[in-house]
Amino acid sequence: MGITNLISQIRTIDTFKRYGKVKRVVGLMIESMGPASSIGEICFIHIKRKMTGQKVLCEVVGFKEENVILMPYTDVQDISPGDLVEATSQPLEIKVGTSLIGSIVDSLGHPMDGTGLLPGLVSVPVDQAPPNPLERPPIHEPIEVGVRAIDSLLTIGKGQRVGIFAGSGVGKSTLLGMIARNTNADLNVIALIGERGREVREFIERDLGPEGLRKSIIVAATSDQPALMRIKGAYTATAIAEYFRDQGHNVMFMMDSVTRVAMAQREIGLATGEPPATKGYTPSVFSILPKLLERTGTNHIGSITGIYTVLVDGDDMNEPIADTVRGILDGHFVLDRTLANKGQYPAINVLKSVSRLMNHLASGEHKLAAERVREMLSTYLNSEDLINIGAYKQGASKEIDEAIKRYPEILSFLKQKTEEKISFHDSVQDIMNLAK
C-alpha cells in the first residue's frame, strides 16, 4: 500500500520547468512573456548581465493580456529586457520553529543578524485561510496585559482582536512594549511594518527590552523596502503566530501598523492597474484587510490575541482604513493627543474606547466598578469647562461634587509608569476600591 501511494505521488510530480522572458519594467511592475503561472506564485528572474548566477525573487500579482505581471521582493536595478523568468509552481513559504523565539527576522523569515536559519524549523505557507467560524471556541477567559487602564476598564480575552488608534507620536510603540513585557501570554509575535529603520532598533532595545525579547519573535519590514516586502511582513508574522497557536500556545500578536500594510497594498494595486477608490485606496485594500485580520483569534487548540495599531491621519478616527479596521476588530483603544499633552501616559481615552467582550469576561462586581468610574470621569469632563472658569458653584450637583473630589484619584489610577507592571488581580482590586 505504501509503494502504491509513493508511485502515485511520483506520477503527480511536475518534472517540467517553465520559463519566460522579461519584456519591460515600469516602476514597481515587471512584465514578462510567460511563464505559465498563477496569482501568488513565486518566480525567479535570472540576471544575465552580471553573469554571476544572481536571481531576483518575485511574485506573480496579475496578468495583462498574454503577459505576466511580477512584483520583486528586492530592488529592480539589475533587471534588463530578456532576462529569464523561472516559475517555481510554489507560493511563498517560511521556516518556523521554537528556535526562532528571541530573534528578529525579515519578511521572508530570514534572521536579520545574518546568522542564517536555525535547525529544527519546518516550512509553512505565508498565506493561509482564516479558521472556519464554527471551529472558533467562544472567548471566555481574560488575558493579562499588565496595563491597569486596559485590564480594569477595557478587559480583553484570550483570542480577542483589538485596535490601538492614534496619531503619530502619542505613545503606540511604548504601549506595545509595555504589553509585550507584562502580558502572561506564552509568547509574543510582533510585526513592525513600514517603520523607520531607526525605530526598529529603538523599539527592541528601549520599548521591548531584553525581558520582552526573550519571549518574542519580531518580524521587521522597514519603510525603505519594496511594497511587496512590507505587505508580506504582515502575512509572515501572522503565519508564525498561527504555527504556535496550532502547537497549543496562547500567542500575543502585535502589528504596528495596519495603516502601512494598507499603503503597501495600495502601491501594488495602483501598479497593477486598479482604480483608486476611497481616498486613493484601491478596492483590493478593503478585500485583504478582513482576510488578514480574521486569521488571528481562537481555534480548538490555542489562541492568538491580536493587537493592531492604526495610524490615523490628523487624528481623524473616521478616515477609510480606521473605519474599516474598527468594523472588523472586537474593540478599539483610542490614544488621545490631548491627554498625552497633559502628561497622562498611557494616553488611553477610556470614554472613547471599548472592548466588545468585556461584559462576557468580567465579574459582576468588576463591571459595576468600571461603570461607576467611567460615570464619574464622564461627569467631570462634561463639566470641566464650567469648573475651570469658576462658573460652577459647589453644591449645585451632588454628582459633579463627587466627580470633582474623586477626579485626582481617577487620574492617578489611569497613569502608569513604563517600567511598572501591575497584575490583572491588582488592577481589578484597585478599580473596585476606587469605585467604593
Side-chain angles (χ1 to χ4, degrees), residues 174-237:
T174 304
L175 181 58
L176 289 182
M178 288 176 67
I179 294 172
R181 290 193 309 272
N182 299 340
T183 180
N184 63 353
D186 297 330
L187 78 154
N188 306 308
V189 178
I190 304 170
L192 303 177
I193 310 299
E195 293 285 346
R196 304 173 187 89
R198 169 186 62 80
E199 290 180 329
V200 173
R201 186 162 183 175
E202 283 187 2
F203 174 81
I204 294 167
E205 295 181 356
R206 185 185 63 194
D207 297 326
L208 190 61
E211 180 188 352
L213 184 59
R214 274 195 296 270
K215 63 172 187 175
S216 302
I217 301 171
I218 298 173
V219 180
T222 52
S223 57
D224 59 293
Q225 294 182 345
L228 196 57
M229 281 290 275
R230 280 178 271 140
I231 196 167
K232 287 301 174 183
Y235 282 84
T236 294

Side-chain angles (χ1 to χ4, degrees), residues 131-144:
N132 186 321
L134 298 182
E135 294 178 0
R136 290 183 184 268
I139 298 169
H140 54 76
E141 186 180 352
I143 188 168
E144 178 182 309

Side-chain angles (χ1 to χ4, degrees), residues 103-119:
S103 60
I104 301 102
V105 300
D106 63 14
S107 299
L108 304 178
H110 300 148
M112 296 185 72
D113 57 5
T115 56
L117 289 173
L118 300 167

Side-chain angles (χ1 to χ4, degrees), residues 22 52 208:
V22 172
T52 58
L208 190 61

Side-chain angles (χ1 to χ4, degrees), residues 17-35 37 41-61 68-89 228:
K17 282 196 172 183
R18 296 176 174 82
Y19 293 95
K21 283 188 176 182
V22 172
K23 186 175 180 181
R24 65 173 184 164
V25 178
V26 180
L28 305 173
M29 180 184 69
I30 302 167
E31 199 171 314
S32 71
M33 298 176 62
S37 53
E41 187 174 326
I42 296 299
C43 294
F44 290 105
I45 298 178
H46 297 263
I47 306 299
K48 66 180 182 181
R49 190 161 58 87
K50 291 196 171 184
M51 302 299 290
T52 58
Q54 180 185 352
K55 297 189 291 188
V56 175
L57 189 65
C58 297
E59 183 176 314
V60 179
V61 295
V68 179
I69 299 174
L70 303 160
M71 296 281 285
Y73 285 94
T74 55
D75 293 328
V76 297
Q77 293 173 351
D78 297 325
I79 298 173
S80 57
D83 283 347
L84 208 60
V85 182
E86 177 189 346
T88 65
S89 302
L228 196 57

Side-chain angles (χ1 to χ4, degrees), residues 230-291:
R230 280 178 271 140
I231 196 167
K232 287 301 174 183
Y235 282 84
T236 294
T238 306
I240 293 172
E242 287 171 326
Y243 169 82
F244 285 102
R245 175 182 63 186
D246 293 341
Q247 300 297 312
H249 294 289
N250 293 313
V251 182
M252 176 63 74
F253 178 75
M254 289 177 269
M255 184 183 294
D256 186 15
S257 69
V258 176
T259 307
R260 294 193 177 106
V261 174
M263 289 177 176
Q265 180 61 34
R266 177 175 62 183
E267 287 184 45
I268 294 172
L270 292 173
T272 54
E274 281 191 77
T278 310
K279 288 195 175 181
Y281 289 101
T282 57
S284 62
V285 173
F286 301 100
S287 66
I288 70 148
L289 283 178
K291 293 178 183 176

